[in-house]
Amino acid sequence: RMAMMGLELTGKAPFDVVYLHGLVRAADGSKMSKTKGNVIDPLDTVATYGADSLRYSLVTGVTPGQDIPLNMEKLEANRNFANKLWNACKFVTDNALKGADEAELADLGVRGPMSKEEYDSLSLPERYIVSKCHELAASVTS
């Protein structure tokens, strides 16, 4: 209805892309309902597990268009995963980058495309990471 009214009243489509997604369902697969009492309040969930945990739980492990079963165990596991990522980043910044001065930190930044010589000088794991970043950028921008 929104698209048809937009076309009728303005002569142009109100949006270019339409995303179809499934329902967020209870852990047992039933539809969430206030009358059944199986609704998960997102504000309480964010207060308990964090927004990152909720977001990650909603986008992982499901095929686009299919319903999403949401349970507290999944939220807790994803909160723990986000906490591990945070701790790993904190470890790197507190230890590996602890004595780095401004010039060393500036050298870590990407300022443009990498030359063939720079790429060839990287170790195999670093080249792998760079190649995966290029694949990701190509898939997102194509």
Side-chain angles (χ1 to χ4, degrees):
R1 287 184 290 186
M2 183 187 299
M4 299 309 285
M5 284 300 290
L7 285 170
E8 179 67 28
L9 298 175
T10 65
K12 60 182 183 175
F15 35 78
D16 297 322
V17 180
V18 176
Y19 293 101
L20 300 177
H21 58 82
L23 293 173
V24 177
R25 294 193 173 265
D28 62 357
S30 64
K31 186 175 177 182
M32 286 192 187
S33 168
K34 287 187 223 176
T35 57
K36 288 183 184 178
N38 62 353
V39 176
I40 297 174
D41 183 13
L43 296 178
D44 291 341
T45 304
V46 168
T48 305
Y49 297 105
D52 292 332
S53 171
L54 180 59
R55 285 188 204 111
Y56 192 68
S57 297
L58 292 173
V59 299
T60 56
V62 294
T63 305
Q66 289 188 337
D67 293 347
I68 304 164
L70 188 62
N71 58 38
M72 292 303 145
E73 292 82 22
K74 185 176 182 180
L75 287 166
E76 186 174 358
N78 288 329
R79 180 200 55 198
N80 294 342
F81 176 67
N83 190 36
K84 285 182 185 197
L85 286 177
W86 171 263
N87 288 337
C89 293
K90 193 77 172 139
F91 177 80
V92 169
T93 55
D94 287 350
N95 294 306
L97 302 176
K98 191 174 192 176
D101 60 5
E102 291 297 321
E104 288 175 312
L105 292 174
D107 285 341
L108 293 174
V110 177
R111 291 177 294 282
M114 184 180 282
S115 70
K116 175 83 169 118
E117 294 79 27
E118 288 175 310
Y119 182 78
D120 290 339
S121 70
L122 297 174
S123 66
L124 181 61
E126 291 171 328
R127 286 191 307 232
Y128 176 78
I129 291 170
V130 169
S131 71
K132 288 298 181 182
C133 286
H134 285 290
E135 285 178 22
L136 176 64
S139 70
V140 169
T141 57
S142 64

